């Protein structure tokens, strides 16, 4: 059975002038694009199928990320359901001159795996291993139930 570590994605980007607003702050849409890409790779690695974004929970922009900062986006699957998967995203940023990574964003993305005829298709089961993974696995069911009310 597949574990969350089997499909974890760590993506690193640097903020260039084209990614920012006139104050040199990373645009929210650009960051969302990176988060979507990292979580899509994670979902597709787990499901071994093309997977589409079905929903994104509330995304908070807790701290600004600036021009030249180095951004690390980590995507990890929390649970596989029938055809959908929940992916947890954590974004951290640091300046070139300071090694300290600051947590700037977190979010949960839901992806649905598609068959070759573009219909939702079954995904492999997930076996959480660590205490945090087991906790996330349990909470993912609550989030799925809540999001469909
Ligand atoms: C996501 C999509 C494939 C679901 O298709 P559907 O025919 O409505 O699917 P179903 O009702 O049979 O549900 C299939 C799964 O999707 C989940 N799902 C459907 N809509 C969802 C939503 N808005 N949020 C979270 N999960 C959702 C269901 O809970 C179900 O999960 P499960 O099988 O693990 O229990 C379809 O709505 C779609 O193609 N949306 C557009 C996706 C897209 O273009 N994304 C951006 C580009 S990647």
């Amino acid at each position: 059975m597949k574990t969350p570590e089997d499909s974890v994605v760590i993506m690193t980007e640097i903020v260039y002038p084209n990614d920012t607003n006139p104050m040199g702050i990373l645009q929210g849409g650009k960051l969302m694009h990176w988060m979507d890409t990292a979580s899509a790779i994670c979902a597709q690695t787990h499901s071994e199928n093309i997977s589409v974004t079905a929903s994104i929970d509330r995304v908070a922009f807790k701290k600004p990320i600036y021009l030249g900062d180095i951004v690390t986006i980590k995507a990890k699957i929390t649970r596989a359901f029938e055809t959908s998967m929940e992916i947890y995203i954590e974004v951290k940023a640091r300046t070139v001159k300071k090694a300290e990574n600051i947590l700037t964003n977190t979010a949960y993305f839901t992806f649905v795996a598609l068959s070759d005829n573009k219909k939702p298709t079954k995904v492999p089961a997930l076996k959480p291993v660590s205490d945090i993974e087991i906790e996330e696995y349990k909470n993912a069911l609550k989030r799925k139930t809540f999001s469909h009310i």
Side-chain angles (χ1 to χ4, degrees), residues 50-119:
I50 300 290
S51 304
V52 289
T53 318
S55 68
I56 304 169
D57 81 339
R58 184 173 161 273
V59 183
F61 295 90
K62 298 172 200 285
K63 298 231 166 71
I65 300 174
Y66 292 99
L67 177 63
D69 283 357
I70 293 162
V71 182
T72 304
I73 302 122
K74 182 176 178 185
K76 193 173 184 184
I77 184 169
T78 60
R79 186 153 179 160
F81 296 96
E82 279 293 307
T83 67
S84 67
M85 297 151 281
E86 187 193 68
I87 313 291
Y88 176 63
I89 300 281
E90 210 170 71
V91 179
K92 291 182 175 171
R94 66 180 169 88
T95 65
V96 175
K97 300 204 172 186
K98 204 170 174 192
E100 187 193 3
N101 264 313
I102 307 285
L103 181 69
T104 58
N105 303 76
T106 59
Y108 291 95
F109 282 58
T110 299
F111 279 79
V112 176
L114 300 183
S115 61
D116 290 345
N117 60 356
K118 302 188 179 70
K119 299 283 178 223

